[in-house]
Amino acid sequence: MLKTDIAYMKRALSLARKGLGKTAPNPAVGCVIVRDGAIVGEGWHKKAGTPHAEIHALAMAGAAAKGADVYVTLEPCCHYGKTPPCCDALIAAGVRRVVAGMVDPFLQVAGNGLLKLRQAGIRVDVGLLEAHCKELNKGFIKAVTTGLPYLIYKTAMTMDGNIATVTGHSRWVTGEESRRLVHRLRSHCDAVMVGVGTVIVDNPQLTVRHVRGRDPLRVIVDTRLRTPESVNVLNDAHADKTVIATCEADPDIHQRYLLQGADILVCREYDGRVDMADLLHKLAVRGVQSILLEGGSRLAGDLLQHHLIDECIFFYAPKVVGNGFSPFAIQGISTMDEAIKLEVRRVGMSGPDMVAYARPVGVCSPA
């Protein structure tokens, strides 16, 4: 591949990121059309049920698409869904070449789109910046290959590993830059999840405020429906974007929350708590591909021990509080040999705070 190919695919990736958090259950896709060394069309998928990235780019290019090269972050679709196949549109436009970042793992495509383009006489190259394209759509990839969403656990702690003081005080552990980064993460995920304990103690809003972006679905894990009816997630303008996952099946209790606009999702019970694998599967069926888990420690520990966390983002503030609360409440580990191992992928700074990105060892990641 030429350096120019890489530059155009980077541009397609940049466009695709504009759709993060907005396209589920579809992937985020970007497309750039180039003719005679100049970009003549570009676009990205903006929302499920609307035209795909290739269609936006072709509309911008018009007649200039004939004989052009197309750079797209994901294999063009070849099936009829809510929109017609992008392969047919590319063939009809007379493009010369298609460079796809990765093969679409969705079974109705899965290489068939690339085959259809080749059969029409279009040159096809695949795999340019593949790791970047897979990272972009790790939620989509996991959802279509496993039936579960991609789960990111975010936690803010002091340098000595505490998410709160011994009294439970935790506002604020980290600085403003880190809070903006977390809100950007929220806007890129389909859902944000917390346990009922976090709702009772912190009364969070779980909306996107410090950056521009779409508010995610809010998921409260509440086995016995202890969520107070006065909390923010049930009394703001976004109450209809709140789902309470519970094992409580009494419809009379449900009604109190339903009247406030929230949704109740009854799940199987496991070891006295919501069966998280069942909950994640039910959320995936609803189109949730990525979840940002923001608390609490017992919920995070349960998910980690059951290999349901795909990625951890640790924010470390330059503070020490001594005794406090751990980000993971895990029972049964008595030696270092039994410790759950993480692979640190990247470390950076967010204002005065340090940020570490890690993945649990042994968890299959789509990226």
Side-chain angles (χ1 to χ4, degrees):
M1 296 288 180
L2 301 173
K3 287 184 178 179
T4 50
D5 288 332
I6 294 173
Y8 292 133
M9 186 59 78
K10 284 183 176 179
R11 174 59 183 166
L13 281 163
S14 178
L15 292 167
R17 292 187 186 101
K18 294 184 178 184
L20 284 173
K22 305 170 186 175
T23 63
N26 292 348
V29 181
C31 179
V32 173
I33 300 178
V34 178
R35 181 173 174 179
D36 299 327
I39 294 177
V40 295
E42 58 182 28
W44 68 95
H45 187 37
K46 300 178 180 180
K47 184 180 179 181
T50 66
H52 292 182
E54 299 94 322
I55 305 306
H56 286 295
L58 287 169
M60 181 177 173
K66 187 174 179 63
D69 292 349
V70 177
Y71 299 83
V72 60
T73 55
L74 183 71
E75 173 185 5
C77 64
C78 56
H79 67 293
Y80 280 88
K82 292 183 179 179
T83 59
C86 291
C87 281
D88 291 355
L90 292 168
I91 293 168
V95 304
R96 181 186 75 90
R97 176 183 177 225
V98 171
V99 181
M102 60 173 286
V103 174
D104 190 338
F106 185 53
L107 287 178
Q108 287 184 267
V109 185
N112 292 315
L114 302 176
L115 176 62
K116 189 172 186 178
L117 293 171
R118 289 189 176 107
Q119 289 175 338
I122 297 172
R123 177 184 165 185
V124 173
D125 296 307
V126 63
L128 180 62
L129 300 184
E130 183 177 35
H132 297 271
C133 294
K134 286 185 174 180
E135 177 69 20
L136 173 75
N137 275 310
K138 54 195 176 186
F140 170 75
I141 296 169
K142 187 177 182 189
V144 300
T145 57
T146 70
L148 294 173
Y150 189 91
L151 184 60
I152 303 168
Y153 177 46
K154 180 281 305 180
T155 185
M157 68 186 90
T158 57
M159 282 295 181
D160 55 345
N162 291 298
I163 61 174
T165 67
V166 70
T167 64
H169 187 264
S170 62
R171 190 169 293 181
W172 297 98
V173 177
T174 52
E176 290 184 10
E177 294 92 340
S178 296
R179 292 200 289 277
R180 279 197 296 271
L181 179 52
V182 169
H183 280 250
R184 189 171 296 111
L185 283 167
R186 283 183 187 175
S187 72
H188 289 172
C189 289
D190 300 322
V192 58
M193 178 186 291
V194 296
V196 64
T198 298
V199 172
I200 292 172
V201 173
D202 295 337
N203 193 18
Q205 297 178 62
L206 304 179
T207 54
V208 174
R209 299 184 301 282
H210 298 293
V211 299
R212 294 183 63 184
R214 192 186 71 163
D215 291 322
L217 183 72
R218 303 180 293 196
V219 181
I220 314 302
V221 182
D222 182 359
T223 303
R224 302 298 170 215
L225 282 184
R226 297 188 295 122
T227 301
E229 294 170 50
S230 60
V231 295
N232 286 324
V233 293
L234 295 175
N235 288 278
D236 61 15
H238 311 285
D240 61 336
K241 296 191 74 171
T242 300
V243 172
I244 303 178
T246 184
C247 298
E248 176 57 67
D250 188 338
D252 291 333
I253 301 178
H254 294 180
Q255 193 64 20
R256 299 205 303 263
Y257 299 103
L258 296 173
L259 287 173
Q260 291 184 272
D263 193 8
I264 298 294
L265 190 56
V266 179
C267 302
R268 289 197 304 260
E269 186 169 333
Y270 176 80
D271 197 22
R273 300 193 293 272
V274 168
D275 184 329
M276 293 307 299
D278 183 48
L279 169 57
L280 294 178
H281 175 73
K282 283 180 165 66
L283 290 172
V285 169
R286 291 184 172 208
V288 173
Q289 296 177 344
S290 56
I291 299 174
L292 182 64
L293 174 66
E294 297 202 34
S297 58
R298 184 177 179 183
L299 179 59
D302 185 36
L303 286 161
L304 186 66
Q305 285 188 294
H306 287 90
H307 311 291
L308 293 171
I309 291 178
D310 296 284
E311 182 178 351
C312 297
I313 304 177
F314 300 105
F315 289 83
Y316 291 94
K319 302 173 182 177
V320 173
V321 298
N323 293 332
F325 290 87
S326 166
F328 295 99
I330 295 176
Q331 302 294 324
I333 294 179
S334 56
T335 69
M336 282 296 171
D337 290 337
E338 299 171 313
I340 298 170
K341 296 177 176 59
L342 305 177
E343 176 192 3
V344 177
R345 305 292 294 268
R346 180 161 55 97
V347 176
M349 297 299 295
S350 175
D353 306 321
M354 185 176 73
V355 189
Y357 299 79
R359 286 180 176 152
V361 173
V363 175
C364 294
S365 168

